[in-house]
Amino acid sequence: MARVTPQTHGDILAAAARRFAVTGYKGTSLQDIAREVGCSKAAVLYHFANKEALLAELMAKPLDVLRQLDEQLATLDGADAQRAGAEGFVDLAVRFRREIALLRGEFPELLAQPAFAHVQRISERLIDALTGHTDRLEARIAALVLLAGISEACAEFVDVPDDELRPALLAIARRTLAPLDPPPPLDPPVND
Amino acid sequence: MARVTPQTHGDILAAAARRFAVTGYKGTSLQDIAREVGCSKAAVLYHFANKEALLAELMAKPLDVLRQLDEQLATLDGADAQRAGAEGFVDLAVRFRREIALLRGEFPELLAQPAFAHVQRISERLIDALTGHTDRLEARIAALVLLAGISEACAEFVDVPDDELRPALLAIARRTLAPLDPPPPLDPPVND
DNA sequence: TCAGGATCTGACCGATCGGTCAGGCATGCT
DNA sequence: AGCATGCCTGACCGATCGGTCAGATCCTGA
């Protein structure tokens, strides 16, 4: 057998990303990953404590960026929050679209895993920002449509270059989000 | 002949729908379903040939409605197709949101199953209709964002009454879809 | 040269998966 | 009564899952 160097760690990570993106987290076995790398399943578990650790390492960077976006949004309000939330999430989604692809709707279950304990609350705050911190039902629905749609589109159009995907998604986001009642920017909106 | 059969068949179907919606298709075992019904796993497999047959029966009606929508869209063009596609899909998604919820991102894999062989092509034609049969990239992305977003929103807001969810989604769809009423003469306008 | 750590393997584990099977228990028909 | 049929069960099957383990192989430094 091909005896390879410690790049195996990275190889395993890359193979896992590829398989997860196609067959999902639950739908991908450690055997699948090992087969794609060309090593034994035991080798995979030598480099990673368990299957969840693999996922956690794959998602570490995007989760960190998401956390930064969350912090930034906490300082904004109204239309500013709306705009920054949309742009921030589009940037994040485009940049990490391969990582997003591998979550493929397993979100509800994966969020229950320890590694993603905080993501649920962050995404709720993100939706809140996208509504401009209003609580109108349609605004909340629009925000969720947008987040889920962008995620899915990024997973689907992995091969479209960033500089085509990003402006397209930004234009879509601008249209989708309901404009706050006062359209012009300089008016501080009222919070409840 | 048709004896007064216990409602076990329907009970199993309902239990499966509930479990699938929470833990997904792959994430739900026949044991789980049997436990929720209060019968044996073998009883589940007495009423349904296999796990896939359970899913197929759950999705039969929504799939039929989707097929009807596909037929209708084949007769339309341009803005008509766009409008009919959006309204038709919103209606379908709202009406069958519980069924949609149970697909929870397992779409890519489930579509590979025999029962859903044709769905892939239908959804491609639906996206095409939502673009007004243009092939601009942004229009295609917008259509996919909308379809995926609506599906997810319907799965998320299962408890919102139809007469609130439907108009909200229609308004969102109208905003999200790129307008093609003024036919694109030359270059699309550059923003920013 | 050789010790020792890093890397990797095959064999194996218990659990659970989807699915099969023979038979038990009612009930209704003749 | 006797029989057939619909409904359901527990026991069981092979496959696969995530994960463990003892040891083989490699590389490096003393």
Side-chain angles (χ1 to χ4, degrees):
Chain A
M1 278 295 177
R3 186 67 66 186
V4 214
T5 49
Q7 87 196 44
T8 310
H9 187 95
D11 289 346
I12 292 172
L13 217 50
R18 259 175 278 128
R19 297 303 307 160
F20 285 164
V22 174
T23 48
Y25 177 73
K26 264 201 323 289
T28 301
S29 68
L30 295 177
Q31 202 74 258
D32 291 334
I33 298 169
R35 195 180 304 121
E36 180 136 342
V37 174
C39 68
S40 68
K41 187 181 68 169
V44 173
L45 286 164
Y46 169 77
H47 287 279
F48 298 90
N50 48 43
K51 196 184 181 186
E52 185 186 336
L54 244 172
L55 180 64
E57 185 158 331
L58 278 173
M59 301 303 291
K61 212 175 309 178
L63 285 185
D64 188 58
V65 174
L66 177 64
R67 189 189 45 76
Q68 290 175 32
L69 174 62
D70 185 45
E71 287 175 5
Q72 179 200 345
L73 291 181
T75 70
L76 297 176
D77 216 339
D80 287 337
Q82 216 178 8
R83 194 181 315 111
E87 289 184 6
F89 187 74
V90 165
D91 284 347
L92 189 154
V94 169
R95 176 173 169 197
F96 297 109
R97 73 194 104 142
R98 280 162 192 81
E99 287 79 1
I100 284 180
L102 64 82
L103 293 179
R104 276 282 181 195
E106 302 185 75
F107 243 73
E109 294 166 79
L110 291 181
L111 288 187
Q113 299 207 16
F116 307 108
H118 55 299
V119 177
Q120 190 98 33
R121 290 179 306 126
I122 290 186
S123 54
E124 279 165 14
R125 285 198 294 268
L126 180 54
I127 286 180
D128 194 44
L130 288 179
T131 66
H133 297 297
T134 70
D135 53 359
R136 279 180 49 238
L137 179 65
E138 194 206 299
R140 282 185 48 82
I141 296 178
L144 194 133
V145 166
L146 193 59
L147 288 191
I150 288 176
S151 302
E152 187 66 20
C154 283
E156 185 73 18
F157 294 98
V158 273
D159 296 328
V160 175
D162 285 21
D163 57 3
E164 290 185 47
L165 191 54
R166 212 184 82 98
L169 287 174
L170 282 175
I172 291 166
R174 271 189 285 268
R175 289 201 305 271
T176 299
L177 290 178
L180 292 179
D181 297 325
L186 293 180
D187 201 344
V190 184
N191 276 354
D192 328 295
Chain B
M1 308 279 192
R3 262 310 96 222
V4 203
T5 74
Q7 70 276 20
T8 311
H9 188 95
D11 288 347
I12 293 173
L13 216 51
R18 258 175 279 130
R19 297 302 308 159
F20 285 164
V22 174
T23 48
Y25 178 72
K26 265 201 321 290
T28 301
S29 69
L30 296 177
Q31 202 74 257
D32 292 333
I33 298 170
R35 194 178 305 121
E36 179 136 345
V37 175
C39 68
S40 68
K41 188 181 66 170
V44 173
L45 287 162
Y46 169 78
H47 286 279
F48 298 91
N50 48 42
K51 194 184 181 184
E52 185 186 334
L54 242 172
L55 181 64
E57 186 160 329
L58 277 173
M59 301 302 292
K61 214 175 306 178
L63 285 184
D64 188 58
V65 173
L66 178 64
R67 189 189 46 75
Q68 291 175 30
L69 175 62
D70 185 47
E71 286 175 5
Q72 178 200 347
L73 291 181
T75 70
L76 298 176
D77 215 339
D80 287 338
Q82 215 178 8
R83 195 179 316 112
E87 290 184 6
F89 186 74
V90 166
D91 284 348
L92 190 155
V94 169
R95 177 173 169 197
F96 297 108
R97 74 193 103 143
R98 280 163 192 82
E99 287 79 1
I100 284 180
L102 64 84
L103 293 179
R104 277 280 180 195
E106 302 183 77
F107 243 72
E109 297 165 78
L110 291 180
L111 288 186
Q113 298 207 17
F116 308 108
H118 56 299
V119 177
Q120 189 98 33
R121 291 178 306 126
I122 290 186
S123 55
E124 279 165 15
R125 284 199 294 270
L126 181 54
I127 286 180
D128 194 43
L130 289 180
T131 67
H133 297 298
T134 70
D135 54 0
R136 279 179 52 236
L137 179 64
E138 194 207 298
R140 282 184 49 80
I141 296 178
L144 195 132
V145 165
L146 193 61
L147 289 191
I150 288 176
S151 302
E152 188 66 20
C154 283
E156 185 74 20
F157 294 97
V158 273
D159 295 328
V160 174
D162 286 20
D163 57 3
E164 290 186 46
L165 190 55
R166 211 184 83 97
L169 287 174
L170 281 175
I172 291 165
R174 270 191 286 269
R175 289 201 305 271
T176 300
L177 291 177
L180 48 78
D181 296 325
L186 295 174
D187 290 341
V190 184
N191 34 22
D192 297 352

